[in-house]
Amino acid sequence: MWREATDIQTADMLRLPVPEAEKITEVTTPSDFQRDLVADLGERAEAVRNREVEPREDNMLKITSDGRKLALDQRLSDPTLPDDPESKVNTCVRNVLQVWRDTEKIKGTQLVFCDLSTPKNDGSFNVYDDMREKLIRRGIPAEQVRFIHEATTDAQKKELFARVRSGEVRILFGSTPKMGAGTNVQDRLIAIHNLDCPWRPSDLEQRQGRIERQGNMFPEVQVYRYVTEQTFDAYLYQLVESKQKFISQIMTSKSPVRSAEDV
């Protein structure tokens, strides 16, 4: 009935001339602290299910939010903890640096998506500043690494996007709401990095839509996903994929799928 009343055209139906995306999943090993805290989150979830705590004291949304932060970087749970060299933040820094070097002659650009730990400008630890400092220390000029949050007006965003398209700014950090729809920087975009998993399938589509786009000079591009083992990462990606499969069934009349592989 839905299909008879609507005219839905999804991206795979339109077959637009967009780059071929190589999807790369980087799986990192959790630290001892992350393992211990995930076990603690499990105990909190059990207490919530058994109604041993009041919802205002603890609930599944709080637990999942804490789990997402823990999977991103252990310092978000405790700023006094050391920087784990094998964390997905540091893995992402290494990949960004390698792609930057490999495409230096043609000024290839990259987007780093992270909805958590955005810059607050209050001196507190955040992933954005941590990654930028590491990239600059390893030889990337400071003016080539920017945050979307620095552009506070439409005019400033327009200027920033133009600099990304020209290759003056080669690495742009941002969250899905600020760097999703309306961000036209695809001209030299060679890679995007998903540091965390958003809540909605449409958010993941918006991220990927920045690079799988007409006007990109590269016929092949890279889409990185970073997953910390034994944390909420795999669960969240599977949850988003499950949602998308059922949404796609309604939009395209495809036969029902009742299982999803763990990414």
Side-chain angles (χ1 to χ4, degrees):
M1 289 173 65
W2 168 256
R3 288 289 296 152
E4 287 175 6
T6 59
D7 181 19
I8 300 293
Q9 293 293 314
T10 59
D12 57 336
M13 294 176 185
L14 294 173
R15 299 186 181 277
L16 297 172
V18 298
E20 186 72 28
E22 179 191 3
K23 297 181 176 65
I24 302 166
T25 302
E26 291 278 7
V27 181
T28 61
T29 304
S31 67
D32 291 338
F33 176 83
Q34 284 173 313
R35 288 194 187 92
D36 292 343
L37 207 54
V38 166
D40 181 57
L41 292 173
E43 292 174 5
R44 284 171 57 190
E46 193 66 31
V48 169
R49 278 194 294 268
N50 295 334
R51 299 184 180 181
E52 296 171 6
V53 293
E54 292 293 324
R56 63 176 178 273
E57 294 174 15
D58 203 5
N59 54 64
M60 289 307 296
L61 184 60
K62 282 185 180 179
I63 293 168
T64 306
S65 295
D66 289 346
R68 291 178 76 214
K69 291 176 184 176
L70 177 65
L72 179 59
D73 195 289
Q74 63 184 20
R75 291 169 294 175
L76 292 175
S77 297
D78 184 350
T80 63
L81 287 170
D83 181 12
D84 180 8
E86 300 306 317
S87 71
K88 65 179 181 180
V89 166
N90 287 314
T91 302
C92 182
V93 167
R94 289 192 287 271
N95 286 337
V96 169
L97 185 65
Q98 188 61 53
V99 173
W100 178 83
R101 286 172 176 162
D102 291 345
T103 60
E104 192 166 6
K105 289 182 180 178
I106 49 178
K107 295 184 177 180
T109 60
Q110 303 175 70
L111 299 182
V112 180
F113 282 98
C114 185
D115 293 350
L116 297 169
S117 191
T118 53
K120 300 286 193 302
N121 297 320
D122 60 0
S124 61
F125 171 79
N126 67 82
V127 165
Y128 280 63
D129 286 323
D130 181 66
M131 291 184 71
R132 177 157 71 175
E133 287 168 10
K134 287 172 179 173
L135 290 170
I136 292 170
R137 280 204 309 267
R138 297 185 189 194
I140 298 180
E143 64 273 11
Q144 291 188 17
V145 186
R146 295 286 302 276
F147 299 159
I148 189 68
H149 303 75
E150 296 168 2
T152 55
T153 66
D154 289 341
Q156 289 176 342
K157 279 186 180 180
K158 188 176 179 180
E159 181 189 359
L160 179 57
F161 293 163
R163 295 186 68 191
V164 175
R165 287 195 297 271
S166 67
E168 292 177 64
V169 173
R170 293 187 54 200
I171 300 160
L172 184 61
F173 286 78
S175 58
T176 314
K178 286 186 176 289
M179 206 162 66
T183 304
N184 299 316
V185 293
Q186 68 274 9
D187 298 37
R188 299 173 180 273
L189 203 53
I190 185 63
I192 65 169
H193 304 263
N194 294 300
L195 261 182
D196 57 7
C197 180
W199 290 109
R200 301 174 300 183
S202 59
D203 291 339
L204 213 50
E205 279 189 10
Q206 282 297 335
R207 291 182 178 188
Q208 202 154 316
R210 298 316 96 211
I211 194 166
E212 290 184 9
R213 201 174 180 87
Q214 287 178 286
N216 193 321
M217 64 184 285
F218 297 105
E220 296 179 356
V221 294
Q222 297 169 328
V223 176
Y224 288 87
R225 287 184 182 181
Y226 297 86
V227 178
T228 306
E229 277 186 331
Q230 301 170 34
T231 65
F232 278 35
D233 275 346
Y235 162 72
L236 287 169
Y237 272 115
Q238 184 167 331
L239 191 65
V240 166
E241 285 195 3
S242 298
K243 288 179 185 177
Q244 184 58 53
K245 284 186 178 181
F246 288 105
I247 291 168
S248 296
Q249 288 163 29
I250 294 171
M251 294 297 187
T252 62
S253 301
K254 291 180 181 176
S255 59
V257 178
R258 289 197 169 273
S259 63
E261 287 187 13
D262 188 332
V263 296

